[in-house]
Amino acid sequence: MEAERGPERPPAERSSPGQTPEEGAQALAEFAALHGPALRASGVPERYWGRLLHKLEHEVFDAGEVFGIMQVEEVEEEEDEAAREVRKQQPNPGSELCYKVIVTRESGLQAADPNSIFLIDHAWTCRVEHARQQLQQVPGLLHRMANLMGIEFHGELPSAEAVALVLEEMWKFNQTYQLAHGTAEEKMPVWYIMDEFGSRIQHADVPSFATAPFFYVPQQVAYTLLWPLRDLDTGEEVTRDFAYGETDPLIRKCMLLPWAPTDMLDLSSCTPEPPAEHYQAILEENKEKLPLDINPVVHPHDHIFKVYTDVQQVASSLTHPRFTLTQSEADADILFNFSHFKDYRKLSQERPGVLLNQFPCENLLTVKDCLASIARRAGGPEGPPWLPRTFNLRTELPQFVSYFQQRERWGEDNHWICKPWNLARSLDTHVTKSLHSIIRHRESTPKVVSKYIESPVLFLREDVGKVKFDIRYIVLLRSVRPLRLFVYDVFWLRFSNRAFALNDLDDYEKHFTVMNYDPDVVLKQVHCEEFIPEFEKQYPEFPWTDVQAEIFRAFTELFQVACAKPPPLGLCDYPSSRAMYAVDLMLKWDSGPDGKRVMQPQILEVNFNPDCERACRSSGVSQEAWAAPAGSSPVWRRQPRQILQRRTPVQPQLPLFPVARGPTQAKRP
């Protein structure tokens, strides 16, 4: 074996030249005010903050004075097959070469020394969707990453094979952070690979060092901080915990799987619905206070409802004569809020007659991990046929790993899609067949992983070929008990821009359909009345009325299970609540009980406060939906369809926000 010194950088200065002690104290106080919360959250001891500030200000990289990289060469002629298999399972990134970082300074390293904190450069920083493009286009990047990862790379021009290998191996090296401020896009997780020094630091269950990403605001630069957890002598190894913060042995085993392959086939992949305590914990985490029981308030038939809203689409589109906008929240009859409402208890006590565009505990529908949990009431541990098999990566990682390995053994398709619990517009959503990638994505933001629909029903676009498409329906939830749900026959379609195939999984325009937020991307629009005859032309054996009936049947089951249990296990029956949701779905090919090919609806997500810009332009949804009757005036040239029957016969008029039939009528409509 051989050892080399770490990266050579200028030696650390012990004080900032030209700075008085008072100026130094002021600079440290400002640094602590700006970065203290992040440093404390990462567990960086305050004794290091002063020297850290100095190293950041002067870009001091002095790890080379203290550490060296040792390369271990395996003696293959003395290694039998069993030993080679054991070596392959060691938690060491890279394909063949084994590296270690050791303390080389003769005096060792003392944890109490304020200078014992070090900056590590980042060799590559990217968002996952840009990784392939950067490897192909940034000069020298592919060559450096291949060398860092131990991948053989010959020639100057990037090859598709080398790029693919780096994209697969990078999950053994990737680390992640995300910014706390900015737009939704700017707050997406960033993945980075430390330089050759940082990437050689190996795993240990009981590590000698800690690391943490750190974003230095004045320079807008991210580093990794390295500091010791104990004193180290010369020759001792620098290690860190690749599963830092996780104490559950089984979860740790899964998290370390990219470096230490483990067979988990014997573990059950069954995922029953979580216990009641799980939902109670979610309620408390959301700080949502359930309402008291109230009697519904009925207004006279000529009452003009005052609407307070912070939703621009509502403010600009609501012209229905039964409603008027108000700037005073205190005077409003209806609150149409963009953000989630929390204190239903106070509202029910002080203003029980105020109507609201939300239901207590509706996160059970609109948050993806909760949606998967309640859906198991309809389909058992594996879920119903109308929802792709889904695992919560925070709580069901071992079951997912077992299921993935089972499918791998059976030779079944293993394409999956990772989604954040609570984001829309396909943000931070990734299609992959890499188990390592899925496991590592768990470290960024809370995510679910769902079976990717490998056999979607496609739509022929003459300009590009057969593409994926999804469908958005607007549903109106009128009440929970009795359960009254309406859906509009008018639906909206979104199309991919490239012909579908199970390759190029990071090609957004091939595998995703949300194109209306990027002005540089083609947005294909087809009205539903044009789509239906074209769909039936392409699939004459599948009349749209039959397909839509299956879609509505899935909606019915979903809302039935969502309302089947009392809160917080189900939606709360609050008489003053109304809600409009957008349900996004796809169709996939499946086999029916008779073996014939069928189109199976697949619900993708349920959206709270959906973006109805296109609907407002084409159909006026934001005003018509407010007083949508169940059997009177047309909406979008069609009737809103009640797909869940009341316990009593449907009345001729059933507005979303009800009015009485006469000025003296006081009973609930």
Side-chain angles (χ1 to χ4, degrees):
M1 62 185 168
E2 60 185 60
E4 60 185 58
R5 291 179 63 83
E8 293 292 339
R9 296 297 179 103
E13 300 179 35
R14 292 297 166 183
S15 61
S16 297
Q19 189 179 63
T20 67
E22 292 77 12
E23 290 172 337
Q26 178 63 27
L28 180 57
E30 293 173 355
F31 175 75
L34 182 60
H35 295 99
L39 292 170
R40 291 188 184 94
S42 298
V44 180
E46 291 192 29
R47 64 177 174 271
Y48 298 136
W49 292 11
R51 293 304 298 167
L52 173 60
L53 173 59
H54 171 82
K55 293 182 180 185
L56 290 165
E57 287 181 330
H58 300 278
E59 298 185 17
V60 176
F61 295 84
D62 56 342
E65 301 175 11
V66 183
F67 308 107
I69 301 173
M70 182 171 66
Q71 178 180 316
V72 179
E73 297 179 352
E74 302 291 342
V75 184
E76 296 186 7
E77 60 270 20
E78 298 179 3
E79 185 178 56
D80 59 18
E81 183 64 29
R84 277 195 294 272
E85 288 302 314
V86 171
R87 177 171 58 82
K88 289 179 182 178
Q89 296 185 14
Q90 295 302 309
N92 176 53
S95 50
E96 293 185 9
L97 298 178
C98 179
Y99 294 94
K100 291 183 179 182
V101 175
I102 60 173
V103 177
T104 55
R105 189 168 64 186
E106 292 184 2
S107 60
L109 186 71
Q110 290 71 48
D113 183 352
N115 200 51
S116 293
I117 187 165
F118 305 91
L119 301 181
I120 299 177
D121 257 340
H122 293 172
W124 182 25
T125 301
C126 72
R127 289 194 165 91
V128 175
E129 59 270 24
H130 302 145
R132 183 184 301 274
Q133 182 182 19
Q134 291 182 7
L135 288 169
Q136 293 170 336
Q137 297 180 0
V138 176
L141 178 62
L142 178 60
H143 191 272
R144 183 180 183 183
M145 289 298 105
N147 285 339
L148 186 149
M149 298 176 188
I151 296 171
E152 290 189 11
F153 176 67
H154 305 288
E156 297 296 326
L157 296 177
S159 69
E161 181 182 4
V163 169
L165 286 172
V166 169
L167 291 174
E168 175 65 25
E169 283 293 301
M170 72 180 189
W171 295 106
K172 296 179 181 178
F173 298 84
N174 264 340
Q175 313 300 319
T176 187
Y177 67 87
Q178 61 186 117
L179 301 179
H181 305 286
T183 65
E185 288 78 6
E186 290 169 341
K187 291 190 288 186
M188 290 300 97
V190 174
W191 292 88
Y192 66 93
I193 292 177
M194 291 183 284
D195 64 13
E196 286 75 4
F197 166 68
S199 292
R200 302 307 186 201
I201 299 173
Q202 299 303 310
H203 166 76
D205 289 330
V206 182
S208 57
F209 279 74
T211 61
F214 178 77
F215 189 80
Y216 186 44
V217 174
Q219 296 178 2
Q220 295 289 291
V221 175
Y223 301 98
T224 291
L225 306 182
L226 173 73
W227 69 95
L229 299 175
R230 59 176 176 82
D231 295 343
L232 286 91
D233 295 326
T234 302
E236 285 198 80
E237 184 178 2
V238 176
T239 58
R240 64 183 183 89
D241 186 357
F242 288 3
Y244 174 78
E246 182 56 62
T247 58
D248 184 283
L250 186 57
I251 299 292
R252 285 183 61 85
K253 189 176 182 180
C254 294
M255 292 179 66
L256 293 172
L257 191 142
W259 304 277
T262 303
D263 186 332
M264 302 190 70
L265 291 166
D266 292 337
L267 181 70
S268 172
S269 60
C270 179
T271 51
E273 183 185 358
E277 294 77 16
H278 175 79
Y279 298 103
Q280 183 63 39
I282 292 174
L283 182 73
E284 294 172 1
E285 181 181 350
N286 290 340
K287 299 179 181 178
E288 189 171 306
K289 298 179 180 179
L290 297 177
L292 303 175
D293 291 336
I294 64 169
N295 294 317
V297 175
V298 179
H299 298 275
H301 74 287
D302 57 351
H303 181 75
I304 304 298
F305 288 86
K306 296 179 180 178
V307 180
Y308 177 85
T309 184
D310 57 355
V311 180
Q312 184 57 41
Q313 287 176 353
V314 173
S316 60
S317 303
L318 183 59
T319 59
H320 194 286
R322 293 165 63 185
F323 305 95
T324 183
L325 295 173
T326 178
Q327 298 299 315
S328 172
E329 185 174 356
D331 294 337
D333 301 306
I334 298 172
L335 300 179
F336 202 105
N337 293 339
F338 176 78
S339 301
H340 289 281
F341 195 81
K342 300 292 186 182
D343 198 349
Y344 290 94
R345 176 172 293 272
K346 181 178 180 181
L347 187 68
S348 66
Q349 289 174 322
E350 299 179 358
R351 304 176 68 192
V354 173
L355 300 173
L356 192 65
N357 69 319
Q358 305 172 34
F359 276 85
C361 300
E362 68 182 8
N363 60 287
L364 297 177
L365 284 169
T366 61
V367 180
K368 297 179 185 67
D369 64 306
C370 297
L371 174 64
S373 295
I374 64 170
R376 293 167 189 166
R377 298 171 188 172
E382 295 193 1
W386 40 261
L387 191 77
R389 182 72 191 273
T390 299
F391 296 84
N392 183 337
L393 286 179
R394 176 173 288 182
T395 60
E396 298 167 346
L397 179 62
Q399 292 89 336
F400 167 71
V401 171
S402 174
Y403 189 67
F404 186 99
Q405 292 181 343
Q406 289 173 27
R407 294 183 67 90
E408 194 171 50
R409 169 174 285 188
W410 299 331
E412 297 183 351
D413 180 84
N414 240 347
H415 289 83
W416 294 80
I417 182 166
C418 285
K419 307 177 184 179
W421 285 358
N422 202 18
L423 284 178
R425 296 166 41 192
S426 301
L427 293 174
D428 194 23
T429 300
H430 310 281
V431 180
T432 182
K433 57 180 181 179
S434 166
L435 179 58
H436 295 174
S437 170
I438 297 169
I439 291 172
R440 298 302 309 282
H441 271 298
R442 181 182 185 270
E443 298 174 29
S444 57
T445 58
K447 285 184 171 67
V448 298
V449 60
S450 298
K451 182 66 187 69
Y452 187 58
I453 300 172
E454 75 274 13
S455 55
V457 175
L458 303 176
F459 185 81
L460 177 61
R461 285 180 53 176
E462 294 183 358
D463 52 343
V464 295
K466 291 186 176 182
V467 300
K468 288 178 58 174
F469 69 95
D470 68 15
I471 311 167
R472 167 166 288 193
Y473 280 90
I474 302 295
V475 300
L476 308 174
L477 181 58
R478 174 61 177 77
S479 68
V480 168
R481 296 184 185 278
L483 179 53
R484 286 182 285 181
L485 181 70
F486 300 83
V487 62
Y488 280 100
D489 284 358
V490 174
F491 52 87
W492 287 266
L493 298 139
R494 298 182 296 196
F495 301 88
S496 297
N497 285 336
R498 298 194 178 108
F500 175 77
L502 277 176
N503 56 21
D504 302 329
L505 302 181
D506 51 1
D507 186 340
Y508 184 90
E509 294 189 61
K510 176 182 288 189
H511 292 281
F512 293 88
T513 60
V514 181
M515 306 294 172
N516 49 318
Y517 296 98
D518 187 343
D520 297 325
V521 174
V522 174
L523 173 62
K524 172 72 171 179
Q525 297 193 62
V526 178
H527 193 276
C528 65
E529 292 186 349
E530 301 171 11
F531 169 81
I532 292 174
E534 183 60 31
F535 178 89
E536 293 181 331
K537 178 182 176 182
Q538 295 183 21
Y539 300 103
E541 297 179 4
F542 297 91
W544 184 253
T545 53
D546 294 348
V547 174
Q548 186 168 254
E550 289 300 316
I551 293 171
F552 290 171
R553 185 173 292 112
F555 292 172
T556 299
E557 269 195 41
L558 170 59
F559 278 84
Q560 283 175 334
V561 297
C563 300
K565 296 184 179 183
L569 284 70
L571 270 65
C572 179
D573 176 27
Y574 186 52
S576 290
S577 285
R578 313 284 186 271
M580 178 169 64
Y581 305 106
V583 184
D584 294 337
L585 63 101
M586 290 177 58
L587 301 171
K588 79 167 185 178
W589 292 112
D590 207 343
S591 297
D594 57 0
K596 292 184 178 179
R597 195 168 69 153
V598 297
M599 291 183 180
Q600 173 62 55
Q602 296 286 279
I603 293 177
L604 306 178
E605 61 186 23
V606 179
N607 293 278
F608 160 79
N609 255 347
D611 181 355
C612 291
E613 182 179 352
R614 286 195 294 165
C616 291
R617 287 200 307 263
S618 64
S619 309
V621 62
S622 282
Q623 58 173 315
E624 297 294 354
W626 287 69
S632 181
S633 60
V635 178
W636 301 337
R637 299 184 300 279
R638 295 169 183 253
Q639 301 293 331
R641 179 177 302 188
Q642 186 170 8
I643 60 173
L644 284 176
Q645 295 297 322
R646 301 176 60 194
R647 294 174 183 169
T648 57
V650 178
Q651 296 179 1
Q653 296 282 332
L654 187 61
L656 182 60
F657 292 100
V659 296
R661 303 304 170 199
T664 59
Q665 188 172 357
K667 67 180 182 179
R668 184 179 180 182

